[in-house]
Amino acid sequence: MKFRAIMGALCAAGLMCGVSAAQAAESVEVLHWWTSGGESKAVGVLKDDMTKQGYTWKDFAVAGGAGAAAMTALKTQVISGNAPSAAQIKGPLIQDWAAQGVLVPIDAAAGDWKKNLPPEIDKIMHADGHYVAAPFSVHRVNWLYINKAALDKAGGKAPTTWPEFFALADKMKAAGIQPIAMGGQPWQDLTLWEDVVLSQGAGFYKKALVDLDEKTLTSDQMVGVFDTVRKIQGYFDAGRTGRDWNLATAMVINGKAGMQFMGDWAKGEFANAGKKSGTDYVCAAVPGTEKSYTFNVDSFVFFQQKGQKSATPGQLALAKTIMSPDFQEQFSLNKGSIPVRLGVSMDKFDDCAKKSYADEQVAIKSGGYVPSLAHGMAQPDAAAGAISDVVTKFMNSQQDSKSAVAALAKAAKTK
Ligand code: BGC
């Protein structure tokens, strides 16, 4: 009676309606790296949804963009027998974790997923014929964010080619504006570098970073990619060492810098700061990449709890909630992404998200839809890490482009 009375009161307060005692008792521990302003708001939507369903949310947030620190923490947890209920894992790493025999299938939550997911993404959520991961949203990586006042002051328009980009950067410099805000971690270097690879065409990108084709990796065109990156670096400020991505975004938000190369999680920061696309900032595809789309799909995998080979009610509820239409909409509105679930209305989204959606449809049809290397979608960890080392070494030394290319071809062979 007492329990019922408490539940009745909670339900009247809009919380925990119709939950069982078992649900109320289960706590779900969730490991993720969503700690910036926009990211926290987005994951907060999931926490609230789960709490309303009667689960206790145990937050295990490990700061650090792109998740390198979170992945280290996760390994430690799993090895010590304390795997979380769910963890933020994406791309080929999903299959790697599944192969360790530590995940649980979540098919019971995935009844209508197949017809509501693009086939290339549905495939990534599977291991051994079972769903083992739940997808959140689609981030486009190849974006350039521009402070609108800085753009106007430089008298420019959003650049569509590298010559236009450098002309704009020069104008900003002449107007006393720091042209580029750049952070200082390997994944941010790799994000910029893959943007420049993509600007050579989606075909070139695929041959280089998906097929790891040696001829492409060692081509003069690839030497040119490193040359362009070197030239872009000439517009960075001196303080980038160790800078987090969201602090670089804040520089563009506050008008301390003109532009940032970053995936559209940066848009979550603009939204969190109350800034509007078109008025306060402009989003443009990275020069030369208008018709292409580097995709980055976040997902959660679910770990065996206390040696149980099947998912707990909390894990299934988590998976189901992540793919529910309402959550998909609310999460992406805060995160800067677009829903991964097909058929979710884009009405409430801003122009940048609508552009992302429209460009995604075009890119899928034209073959311009490619997985992001910098965000764990294109290659297993070992090869991606070795390539990242090459790029970061180049960007933090005076190495010439030709020797960087030779190192790149070697790194691509890492298994
Ligand atoms: C993730 C995003 C995240 C970003 C910065 C990316 O790899 O996919 O969800 O916002 O890193 O942390």
Side-chain angles (χ1 to χ4, degrees):
M1 247 344 252
K2 213 171 168 196
F3 177 77
R4 276 215 186 149
I6 293 168
M7 293 316 246
L10 286 172
C11 185
L15 298 161
M16 292 172 53
C17 289
V19 295
S20 69
Q23 278 178 330
E26 187 178 342
S27 83
V28 285
E29 189 182 19
V30 181
L31 187 148
H32 62 90
W33 67 85
W34 288 325
T35 54
S36 76
E39 289 175 335
S40 305
K41 255 192 161 164
V43 74
V45 177
L46 186 57
K47 178 185 171 184
D48 290 350
D49 272 10
M50 290 300 288
T51 309
K52 274 187 198 142
Q53 291 173 58
Y55 296 98
T56 304
W57 177 276
K58 255 178 97 184
D59 203 53
F60 190 165
V62 184
M71 292 304 96
T72 308
L74 178 62
K75 278 177 206 153
T76 312
Q77 287 286 104
V78 176
I79 289 166
S80 60
N82 293 314
S85 315
Q88 188 184 349
I89 298 281
K90 55 186 164 157
L93 256 191
I94 295 174
Q95 278 76 38
D96 282 1
W97 276 106
Q100 301 300 313
V102 289
L103 301 186
V104 286
I106 47 155
D107 302 296
D112 65 351
W113 290 13
K114 197 162 204 76
K115 65 173 195 290
N116 287 308
L117 282 174
E120 47 278 81
I121 291 169
D122 187 67
K123 199 172 142 212
I124 302 172
M125 301 303 128
H126 280 86
D128 295 328
H130 295 283
Y131 280 103
V132 292
F136 281 82
S137 61
V138 183
H139 276 301
R140 184 188 201 179
V141 180
N142 57 312
W143 285 114
L144 177 68
Y145 288 93
I146 314 175
N147 177 292
K148 182 69 166 59
L151 185 64
D152 293 344
K153 199 167 166 201
K157 62 173 189 56
T160 57
T161 63
W162 288 117
E164 282 178 18
F165 171 82
F166 289 120
L168 176 63
D170 284 334
K171 280 189 199 155
M172 285 187 177
K173 217 169 163 182
I177 302 160
Q178 166 60 45
I180 303 175
M182 179 71 184
Q185 285 132 10
W187 71 270
Q188 299 190 63
D189 294 346
L190 197 61
T191 299
L192 170 62
W193 180 82
E194 90 173 17
D195 281 343
V196 182
V197 174
L198 187 68
S199 73
Q200 306 303 300
F204 181 83
Y205 181 101
K206 266 194 239 168
K207 271 201 232 149
L209 303 187
V210 179
D211 304 341
L212 301 178
D213 172 57
E214 190 161 359
K215 241 175 104 186
T216 311
L217 290 171
T218 55
S219 62
D220 288 349
Q221 212 173 345
M222 189 58 90
V223 176
V225 165
F226 281 94
D227 287 346
T228 301
V229 169
R230 185 64 89 218
K231 190 162 176 197
I232 295 171
Q233 282 190 271
Y235 297 87
F236 291 174
D237 68 312
R240 83 173 185 107
T241 310
R243 181 188 286 148
D244 287 324
W245 68 272
N246 52 321
L247 299 182
T249 309
M251 289 169 71
V252 179
I253 292 176
N254 302 328
K256 293 218 166 68
M259 306 182 266
Q260 184 189 20
F261 292 95
M262 192 46 64
D264 46 20
W265 45 94
K267 202 159 66 70
E269 300 306 295
F270 282 98
N272 194 38
K275 303 291 183 191
K276 301 258 174 299
S277 73
T279 319
D280 303 310
Y281 69 97
V282 169
C283 58
V286 166
T289 71
E290 181 68 33
K291 295 201 165 64
S292 308
Y293 195 111
T294 23
F295 66 84
N296 170 22
V297 176
D298 282 306
S299 45
F300 273 5
V301 297
F302 304 85
F303 285 89
Q304 287 172 17
Q305 299 294 292
K306 301 191 187 102
Q308 300 257 4
K309 299 260 185 246
S310 52
T312 65
Q315 288 174 318
L316 291 176
L318 200 49
K320 228 177 172 161
T321 306
I322 291 168
M323 261 294 278
S324 70
D326 280 357
F327 173 78
Q328 287 272 317
E329 181 188 57
Q330 287 309 314
F331 180 81
S332 274
L333 282 170
N334 287 296
K335 190 69 172 57
S337 46
I338 57 173
V340 65
R341 189 186 172 100
L342 300 170
V344 174
S345 162
M346 291 297 294
D347 288 354
K348 290 193 189 143
F349 286 83
D350 65 15
D351 292 350
C352 295
K354 285 184 177 132
K355 177 172 165 52
S356 176
Y357 181 78
D359 289 355
E360 183 191 32
Q361 302 314 306
V362 172
I364 288 173
K365 285 196 194 100
S366 69
Y369 197 57
V370 294
S372 165
L373 176 78
H375 295 278
M377 304 302 293
Q379 293 296 337
D381 242 14
I387 294 172
S388 173
D389 289 349
V390 170
V391 171
T392 286
K393 180 175 172 202
F394 174 80
M395 288 182 70
N396 293 283
S397 71
Q398 291 312 310
Q399 191 182 27
D400 65 282
S401 299
K402 277 202 173 133
S403 27
V405 157
L408 178 67
K410 215 168 143 204
K413 296 201 173 105
T414 312
K415 291 264 183 287

